[in-house]
Amino acid sequence: MNTKLFRKLTAALCVLALMLALAPPALAAGEPAKSSNINKQNYSLWSSPARSYLYDNGNGLTRVECTSSALVAEDYDSSFNLVNSRTIQLELPKWGGFYAGSDANYMFFGQSNPSHSDSTEVIRVVKYSKSWQRLGSYSFKGIDVAVPYDCGGVRCDEYNGYLYIRTGREMYDGHQSNMTMVIKESDMSLSDIYYDWMNSSMGYISHSFNQFVLVDNTGHLVGLDQGDYAPRGVALCKYKADAAGGKLGGSRGSWCDAKVVQAFAGTIANNTTGASIGGFAETTSGYVSAFNYDGKAGTGPRDMYLGYTDKSSLNSTVKKISIASGTTTPQMVSTGLGGGYIMWNGVSGSTLNDTLYYVSYSDGGSVGQVQTAKAPLSDCQPIQYNGKMVWYVTNNSAPTFYGLDASGVTVLGGGASTAPTTPTTPTTPTTPTTPAAPTTPTTPTTSSTSGKLTVETVMLAPKTYSSTLFIGQDGKLYSFYSDKTDVEVGRTTFMGNLFGSAVSTSTKAVSVGEYCYVDENGSLWTAGNTDGSAEFKSRPISSAVKAMDNVLCANVGAWADGYEYNTMALKKDGSLWYWNQISPNSTPGTAKKVLDNVVQFVNTWYDAYTWYAVTSDGTLWKGYMTEDPEVVMTDVAAISCFEQMYTFLVIKTDGSVWGWGVNDYDELGTGNGKGHKGMHYNISASDPTKIMDNVVGIYSSGSQSFAITADGSLYGWGYNEYGQLGFTGGDDTGYWGRNGSVSGIVNVAQSTPKKITDGVVTMHDELVLKEDGYLYRVGDGKVTKVLDQKVMLPGSSSSTPTTPTTPTVSTTPTTPTTPTTPTMPTAPTTTVTKFTDVDARHWAYNDIMTCAEQGIVNGVGNGRFDPNGQVTGIQFIVMLTRTFYPDRVAAVTASAGQPWYYPNMEAAKDHQLNYRVNSINDQPLTRYDMAEILYNVTADKNIPVDVYDLPDQSQIKDIDTILEKKHYNAVMCCYYFGVLTGMSDGAFHGEQTMTRAQACAVMVRMIKLLNDNAAA
């Protein structure tokens, strides 16, 4: 459908579109979503939710995956070429899983419930049609769930119109177990559930570290769990009730026949079972399970086993089927009641390889000859498709599809089918002019942060000091001491005057963390206590060991008993790596990558295994050791949390600060204090509270919270009994204490942000670094200078200016070569230097640099881009016309007295792009204004829109406002093309203004849209 007709849609058609519950927009075939699911099926202690799925859609395959940046559904044809894709809203922050039913699809979302509230929605099951129309949902509350999908994921089967669900969860008391639910598919109502404490005769498995479920051909529900407590082993539960009725219950006190397929050695509740389960299926006469096991519940190499359980007697036999010691968690796929395949990869020590071992199994539990091939596995459960067992693997890449049949393993294909773009006629190059003589370079000035601070310079720049180390302005590494004694300066013990002791006169560092530093070559070095006290004498900071190369920054989250736990490193390529433990007497072990595209991470010493990370797309992730992280929220620029994880603060991408967690002492700045008991204790991450705006830096110290604004002002709020905030007193007094307790002592707190001091660059461990280069302690009712030695400012290499080199004179220009055929659209290119306020960790770095390199946008002077600055109407018109209508702009000459942008305005008028253009020229551009302008561009370029494939209006929370303000067509068009969509809360927020970084991101999307349309 031509968009010129679309702009003339009648009111009746708009009403019709509103009445339809439409699917997420199907996007044109482009590049498949990138992810990393390789080996994600493998686990050592307990499992986590699978993120990758395939199902046969009747015309090909559909890939469903929760990637690090989006929840996608991609359709592929029978040749494994991408046909179209959709992005689906993650309705709650925690991903649970996906199930492709016979008539509908089901998504599982959830959220943690730290306050143990029975009114908190912990699990949501959402039903979609096969064309991805949202049909309904069911929400679970009050079912003793603190953390849903804990030590497991979601596995389902359906029977007689009922959806049977088995998953793991952490209970209110911290205990872990399985849980089973039944949903009536027709109306998404709850038919039955069991979540109470009991024993395996009720289908309950304590410490269930993986869960499987099926309804057999006799109509009975059968569950399989990896148990650690009751029982400790591979546990099978066959329910006695007829599954056709949608009920779990059988006779009183005994709903299941429970059997142990394979008992595990060791002590119950030890967690380490030495095993992992990878598959469960039915045959004609029994049930088969596939698992690896080391035979002694240790951490050594594991062999592969197949368990067979007879249906009638429920007696089990177990066969060892591996031919090489060391196996990953297997994948298992049934070809029917007659049998199927088991697949696994080899493991040497802790290193996985791509040698694929596979074996067929048949009814009765017999197995064939083990075969080998070269192919990795992933958490994508293989499915039957066109006579093959098909799965896909990604490794920071698009999918590669593999197929297994009797002839072996083959690569089937994958990726996007691309067509060459239609080139525009290249213009004749102009004769190059003789270069001007170089100007004499100015003397470099000392590095300074004067001017507007950004999140990138305050929160995302590598640290130049911690509580144990700092980098001097000479670039050398120093350690802290207190009052010239050999006592480590602790995290909250900055008493008296500090002084620095050089670690090594030759060491040049660029970043420090706790007990670690990164040298000028990008090598990470880790060590023990900086003062070399007894437990760390074997490895003081001066004799640190090298752990990794190409590192941007790192931190040791915990240390105890001579070991370092939760050590994490952010590499220069944006990958985040994790070590569980580093011994002081040995070289650090092998780190494991846990996330890509990371711009900031936080790990703490109190919870030695939990970490948080922000990715370049603004997603905040929570991770535990090397398990798959979960999404906490979106539109996040940076995070800070107290070491004991009481209180969390985030800076959103719009500069606002939000918080959640413990608020006993007004740590969340809610402003409603005055001595009440337990002020909003344990506010949830799913419902954070807004604190203030225009913030570029945050720091949580437990009972106090701090924020730095763009002008360098430091604000504080929270507990202030002893002047911990740098001033005395507060606006909230009363008899209250931690966890809502009544202390009997009058406590003092500040309930809203209050300004403390100026000139602050960054903050860490109650020490602020000011732009004069000195450290100051905030506490005792004042701000006090603590170190008579300057610290390197973030982003600096040294304050000592280097002698400028003599510029070379350009050589005589060469004759231009014949221009290459350009792709559409063309845009002028220019040489761009890196902006000082935008580095590779900025969420829009690639978009900003693309626009700058193509001459679409320039900096604001002094080497800055000002990514958070507002973009005006005329600035955006100039960006569009430079990119999409350069010939028309070049053909217009501005007369004397006309504005510099006159040619761009004329080009916009010629192509009917203007929307309220006379009134928005010098005004900040709103999201509504940008939507209207983009809508006009797509109309002018004749990009087709299918009115019956518009977004689901029910998912746009402020759709009524959009209609009222008559922006429906423009907004729907932008959603349809994916160039400008809603915010994290599900609303469009058309009145909000756009930043320069956001404008660049939109421009890159528009360029891709027009290129894709030209190719089509």
Side-chain angles (χ1 to χ4, degrees):
M1 175 179 177
N2 190 297
T3 50
K4 290 185 180 292
L5 297 178
F6 179 61
R7 69 173 62 243
K8 298 179 181 179
L9 288 173
T10 63
L13 187 56
C14 288
V15 172
L16 173 62
L18 276 175
M19 294 175 62
L20 296 174
L22 298 177
L27 306 179
E31 293 296 326
K34 292 183 179 181
S35 67
S36 290
N37 71 1
I38 186 170
N39 302 133
K40 292 296 186 181
Q41 91 290 350
N42 187 55
Y43 67 95
S44 58
L45 292 179
W46 44 69
S47 63
S48 57
R51 293 178 172 270
S52 313
Y53 302 84
L54 279 179
Y55 70 89
D56 187 340
N57 61 31
N59 297 311
L61 291 175
T62 296
R63 166 200 182 192
V64 176
E65 183 170 350
C66 185
T67 71
S68 62
S69 59
L71 178 55
V72 298
E74 298 177 343
D75 297 330
Y76 292 80
D77 62 21
S78 58
S79 298
F80 303 94
N81 296 311
L82 180 63
V83 177
N84 58 54
S85 63
R86 291 174 172 83
T87 299
I88 300 170
Q89 181 180 357
L90 199 68
E91 298 192 11
L92 291 174
K94 194 174 181 67
W95 169 251
F98 167 78
Y99 178 72
S102 58
D103 299 318
N105 292 332
Y106 299 89
M107 295 278 195
F108 294 82
F109 308 103
Q111 62 183 337
S112 297
N113 181 17
S115 62
H116 302 164
S117 170
D118 284 344
S119 62
T120 298
E121 180 185 17
V122 290
I123 292 176
R124 183 184 301 174
V125 186
V126 183
K127 179 181 179 181
Y128 300 86
S129 70
K130 289 298 182 179
S131 59
W132 295 103
Q133 185 179 28
R134 193 181 191 280
L135 301 178
S137 65
Y138 184 84
S139 297
F140 289 90
K141 304 176 183 179
I143 55 173
D144 196 8
V145 172
V147 181
Y149 318 127
D150 186 52
C151 299
V154 171
R155 288 190 173 90
C156 305
D157 202 357
E158 58 184 0
Y159 188 74
N160 197 40
Y162 292 98
L163 182 67
Y164 286 85
I165 306 161
R166 201 168 180 93
T167 186
R169 49 78 188 262
E170 178 185 314
M171 305 165 80
Y172 288 168
D173 66 352
H175 194 75
Q176 194 279 339
S177 74
N178 68 352
M179 185 169 57
T180 307
M181 304 95 86
V182 188
I183 296 290
K184 187 176 181 180
E185 296 178 325
S186 60
D187 60 3
M188 292 300 290
S189 61
L190 181 65
S191 180
D192 205 353
I193 184 172
Y194 191 84
Y195 61 90
D196 290 333
W197 286 72
M198 191 48 68
N199 52 47
S200 55
S201 65
M202 303 296 288
Y204 172 90
I205 304 297
S206 179
H207 289 202
S208 170
F209 293 163
N210 206 350
Q211 307 84 34
F212 298 82
V213 70
L214 61 83
V215 178
D216 67 17
N217 63 350
T218 67
H220 287 90
L221 182 71
V222 187
L224 187 82
D225 294 70
Q226 177 178 332
D228 168 47
Y229 188 82
R232 181 175 163 89
V234 180
L236 184 144
C237 297
K238 184 173 184 178
Y239 288 75
K240 299 176 181 179
D242 184 352
K247 298 296 180 182
L248 301 171
S251 60
R252 181 179 180 85
S254 179
W255 290 5
C256 307
D257 289 320
K259 300 289 183 178
V260 175
V261 178
Q262 170 69 58
F264 297 146
T267 307
I268 61 171
N270 185 41
N271 289 354
T272 302
T273 61
S276 63
I277 305 177
F280 182 50
E282 177 190 12
T283 67
T284 302
S285 61
Y287 312 105
V288 290
S289 51
F291 55 93
N292 65 13
Y293 180 43
D294 69 355
K296 54 186 178 181
T299 58
R302 301 176 182 182
D303 288 308
M304 191 59 57
Y305 293 85
L306 180 140
Y308 172 78
T309 304
D310 180 77
K311 280 184 178 177
S312 57
S313 66
L314 294 187
N315 292 328
S316 298
T317 58
V318 176
K319 294 182 179 180
K320 180 178 177 180
I321 58 176
S322 62
I323 61 173
S325 183
T327 63
T328 64
T329 304
Q331 285 283 24
M332 183 179 190
V333 57
S334 170
T335 57
L337 293 178
Y341 288 92
I342 302 171
M343 299 179 283
W344 66 94
N345 286 123
V347 177
S348 300
S350 59
T351 304
L352 283 61
N353 58 56
D354 63 352
T355 299
L356 180 72
Y357 298 87
Y358 62 95
V359 64
S360 63
Y361 71 87
S362 59
D363 188 24
S366 60
V367 296
Q369 184 70 31
V370 176
Q371 306 290 325
T372 62
K374 285 293 183 181
L377 290 173
S378 70
D379 65 347
C380 171
Q381 168 66 43
I383 65 169
Q384 286 192 78
Y385 181 72
N386 285 349
K388 294 180 180 291
M389 310 301 109
V390 177
W391 72 100
Y392 76 87
V393 179
T394 62
N395 190 7
N396 195 25
S397 65
T400 297
F401 292 89
Y402 295 89
L404 167 66
D405 59 16
S407 63
V409 176
T410 55
V411 176
L412 302 176
S417 56
T418 58
T421 58
T422 303
T424 58
T425 303
T427 58
T428 303
T430 58
T431 303
T433 58
T434 302
T439 58
T440 302
T442 57
T443 301
T445 58
T446 300
S447 175
S448 173
T449 60
S450 297
K452 186 177 181 181
L453 298 173
T454 67
V455 177
E456 290 74 27
T457 59
V458 177
M459 294 295 293
L460 304 187
K463 289 181 182 177
T464 57
Y465 70 98
S466 68
S467 67
T468 56
L469 299 166
F470 71 90
I471 304 172
Q473 290 205 349
D474 56 4
K476 295 178 183 178
L477 182 68
Y478 293 82
S479 61
F480 280 124
Y481 290 84
S482 175
D483 294 331
K484 300 184 179 182
T485 61
D486 288 340
V487 178
E488 177 202 0
V489 178
R491 292 170 172 76
T492 56
T493 59
F494 291 107
M495 306 301 292
N497 293 322
L498 306 180
F499 72 98
S501 175
V503 173
S504 171
T505 57
S506 61
T507 300
K508 291 280 189 176
V510 296
S511 176
V512 299
E514 303 297 347
Y515 313 109
C516 65
Y517 65 90
V518 179
D519 67 20
E520 60 185 343
N521 298 315
S523 297
L524 169 65
W525 299 80
T526 64
N529 195 319
T530 56
D531 65 6
S533 57
E535 66 268 35
F536 288 96
K537 280 188 180 297
S538 56
R539 186 152 56 88
I541 195 73
S542 58
S543 58
V545 296
K546 185 176 177 181
M548 180 178 281
D549 288 314
N550 299 316
V551 175
L552 183 68
C553 57
N555 192 58
V556 177
W559 57 266
D561 303 324
Y563 293 88
E564 297 169 8
Y565 299 87
N566 195 5
T567 298
M568 302 194 77
L570 176 59
K571 282 196 167 187
K572 294 177 181 178
D573 63 1
S575 58
L576 184 62
W577 297 74
Y578 178 99
W579 294 266
N580 179 28
Q581 178 175 293
I582 297 178
S583 167
N585 296 309
S586 64
T587 301
T590 302
K592 183 173 182 180
K593 185 168 71 171
V594 293
L595 197 60
D596 284 307
N597 303 315
V598 174
V599 296
Q600 186 212 5
F601 72 92
V602 174
N603 59 331
T604 73
W605 65 269
Y606 182 78
D607 185 343
Y609 306 109
T610 301
W611 50 270
Y612 290 81
V614 180
T615 47
S616 57
D617 61 357
T619 302
L620 175 62
W621 299 83
K622 177 183 179 181
Y624 182 81
M625 298 178 67
T626 58
E627 295 182 2
D628 287 338
E630 62 186 69
V631 175
V632 179
M633 62 176 59
T634 57
D635 293 329
V636 174
I639 180 175
S640 177
C641 62
F642 178 52
E643 291 164 335
Q644 294 183 340
M645 293 191 176
Y646 289 151
T647 304
F648 297 81
L649 302 174
V650 296
I651 304 175
K652 289 281 196 172
T653 52
D654 63 359
S656 59
V657 172
W658 298 72
W660 71 92
V662 174
N663 193 35
D664 286 335
Y665 295 115
D666 285 315
E667 299 95 319
L668 297 179
T670 53
N672 59 353
K674 300 306 176 189
H676 58 290
K677 179 181 176 183
M679 310 167 197
H680 289 309
Y681 179 62
N682 273 339
I683 293 175
S684 171
S686 63
D687 187 25
T689 181
K690 184 176 179 180
I691 302 172
M692 62 185 296
D693 290 303
N694 192 34
V695 172
V696 295
I698 48 174
Y699 176 66
S700 170
S701 67
S703 299
Q704 295 81 36
S705 300
F706 300 89
I708 303 170
T709 55
D711 62 358
S713 298
L714 178 68
Y715 290 79
W717 60 96
Y719 185 54
N720 200 36
E721 186 73 24
Y722 306 104
Q724 298 97 319
L725 293 173
F727 56 84
T728 57
D731 63 356
D732 186 7
T733 58
Y735 296 91
W736 37 262
R738 177 67 67 191
N739 299 332
S741 63
V742 178
S743 66
I745 301 174
V746 177
N747 293 304
V748 178
Q750 176 66 31
S751 69
T752 57
K754 181 176 179 180
K755 187 173 179 178
I756 302 171
T757 187
D758 292 307
V760 172
V761 175
T762 188
M763 183 174 189
H764 179 68
D765 279 333
E766 300 158 31
L767 287 181
V768 296
L769 177 60
K770 290 198 173 187
E771 62 180 13
D772 61 8
Y774 291 107
L775 287 175
Y776 295 77
R777 177 178 177 262
V778 178
D780 299 325
K782 55 188 176 181
V783 179
T784 309
K785 183 178 175 182
V786 295
L787 188 67
D788 290 326
Q789 183 175 350
K790 287 190 175 183
V791 174
M792 181 184 291
L793 300 176
S796 303
S797 57
S798 174
S799 63
T800 304
T802 57
T803 304
T805 57
T806 304
T808 57
V809 179
S810 301
T811 59
T812 304
T814 58
T815 303
T817 58
T818 303
T820 56
T821 303
T823 58
M824 203 273 297
T826 59
T829 59
T830 185
T831 301
V832 178
T833 57
K834 289 187 176 181
F835 299 113
T836 59
D837 56 351
V838 180
D839 62 23
R841 296 164 300 163
H842 191 281
W843 70 269
Y845 174 79
N846 290 334
D847 296 329
I848 291 170
M849 296 309 297
T850 295
C851 290
E853 288 165 0
Q854 294 190 12
I856 298 171
V857 67
N858 301 315
V860 297
N862 296 324
R864 297 175 60 249
F865 180 75
D866 190 19
N868 296 322
Q870 294 178 322
V871 65
T872 66
I874 190 56
Q875 288 171 346
F876 192 61
I877 287 290
V878 169
M879 294 170 69
L880 283 170
T881 52
R882 280 179 180 174
T883 307
F884 302 120
Y885 306 99
D887 294 342
R888 178 55 184 147
V889 173
V892 179
T893 302
S895 302
Q898 290 176 326
W900 65 271
Y901 51 78
Y902 175 77
N904 303 90
M905 294 298 296
E906 290 300 299
K909 291 177 182 178
D910 290 347
H911 292 278
Q912 300 179 359
L913 307 188
N914 304 55
Y915 169 74
R916 296 196 308 114
V917 73
N918 292 328
S919 61
I920 67 172
N921 279 0
D922 299 317
Q923 299 299 315
L925 192 69
T926 70
R927 289 168 57 81
Y928 278 144
D929 294 336
M930 183 172 281
E932 293 287 355
I933 295 172
L934 296 174
Y935 174 46
N936 291 340
V937 174
T938 59
D940 182 71
K941 296 294 185 179
N942 291 317
I943 303 179
V945 174
D946 185 350
V947 69
Y948 293 104
D949 202 14
L950 290 175
D952 183 353
Q953 292 90 345
S954 66
Q955 299 300 307
I956 305 174
K957 292 184 178 180
D958 54 352
I959 186 65
D960 292 339
T961 302
I962 295 170
L963 282 168
E964 176 186 345
K965 297 191 175 181
K966 299 180 172 53
H967 294 295
Y968 176 80
N969 283 359
V971 173
M972 289 298 104
C973 182
C974 288
Y975 268 86
Y976 177 86
F977 290 124
V979 294
L980 185 64
T981 57
M983 307 290 277
S984 60
D985 62 355
F988 183 71
H989 293 299
E991 298 85 359
Q992 292 188 13
T993 56
M994 300 289 290
T995 67
R996 289 167 53 82
Q998 291 168 341
C1000 288
V1002 169
M1003 285 300 303
V1004 171
R1005 294 172 197 158
M1006 284 293 292
I1007 291 172
K1008 184 179 186 303
L1009 173 64
L1010 267 66
N1011 277 330
D1012 290 344
N1013 187 66

